[in-house]
Amino acid sequence: MTGACTSPRSKTPPRNPKRRGVRLADYVAVLKIESGDWRIDTENGEVYNRITGIPLTFSQCRDKYERLYVHYNGFTVTLFKHRIIYLAGHCDLSHLPSDLNLEVDHINHDIHDCRLENLRLIPGEENRIQSSRKFTAEEVILIRKRCAAGE
């Protein structure tokens, strides 16, 4: 991996399977929610500006996840919409996720469906296994039948 902070020769340290701490992004998101800067609609999966009432504008990158860049204490912090919604429904400043390996998963695998009922916190390894899951031929036939029936 090369970048501004690493040289091409530097070795990546081994991943610690039990990384602990609090993500700055989680802290900033909950701070914005608790201070009243943002209003969260967990039922519809939207984040609104408290003053204007207009939904915040999230950008999409290659991975299609909706993200927002916020400045906090001299840092530019990347916040993901699905993680903001999850934190709004389950956390406060004194109870933030402390396992850095936990990721917010979209239960129905639709990354644009950020309703709270569609989000859960799971280990990253489990989240990556689910995202690479392949359907069997029987499951595809069943899905097609259900779609044709209007389900």
Side-chain angles (χ1 to χ4, degrees):
M1 180 173 108
T2 61
C5 296
T6 61
S7 69
R9 293 184 206 132
S10 68
K11 293 184 179 181
T12 305
R15 284 191 68 190
N16 182 350
K18 294 184 180 174
R19 298 181 310 150
R20 308 291 295 173
V22 173
R23 296 174 192 230
L24 178 60
D26 289 355
Y27 177 79
V28 172
V30 173
L31 192 64
K32 289 284 201 180
I33 295 163
E34 289 191 356
S35 70
D37 288 349
W38 294 344
R39 185 179 60 80
I40 311 297
D41 180 355
T42 57
E43 194 172 304
N44 295 311
E46 287 295 336
V47 182
Y48 295 92
N49 179 303
R50 174 187 57 87
I51 296 170
T52 64
I54 297 173
L56 298 182
T57 303
F58 288 82
S59 60
Q60 288 184 6
C61 288
R62 287 181 294 181
D63 62 5
K64 303 294 185 208
Y65 283 97
E66 296 177 85
R67 61 190 72 188
L68 178 70
Y69 300 99
V70 175
H71 296 285
Y72 175 78
N73 284 354
F75 294 96
T76 300
V77 182
T78 304
L79 305 175
F80 291 92
K81 184 177 185 180
H82 60 283
R83 194 151 182 111
I84 295 170
I85 302 294
Y86 179 85
L87 292 168
H90 294 287
C91 303
D92 59 32
L93 281 175
S94 61
H95 296 94
L96 291 171
S98 61
D99 184 343
L100 297 176
N101 290 319
L102 293 176
E103 296 177 0
V104 176
D105 174 49
H106 293 83
I107 297 169
N108 68 3
H109 303 289
D110 178 359
I111 63 174
H112 300 292
D113 183 357
C114 293
R115 295 172 297 124
L116 184 60
E117 66 186 34
N118 184 47
L119 302 174
R120 62 182 174 175
L121 200 62
I122 63 173
E125 297 79 25
E126 184 180 332
N127 196 18
R128 283 182 283 288
I129 290 169
Q130 289 181 4
S131 65
S132 62
R133 180 182 179 274
K134 304 288 185 208
F135 291 104
T136 64
E138 294 81 22
E139 289 174 320
V140 171
I141 291 169
L142 178 62
I143 291 170
R144 287 181 178 159
K145 284 181 182 178
R146 290 178 68 186
C147 285
E151 289 184 44

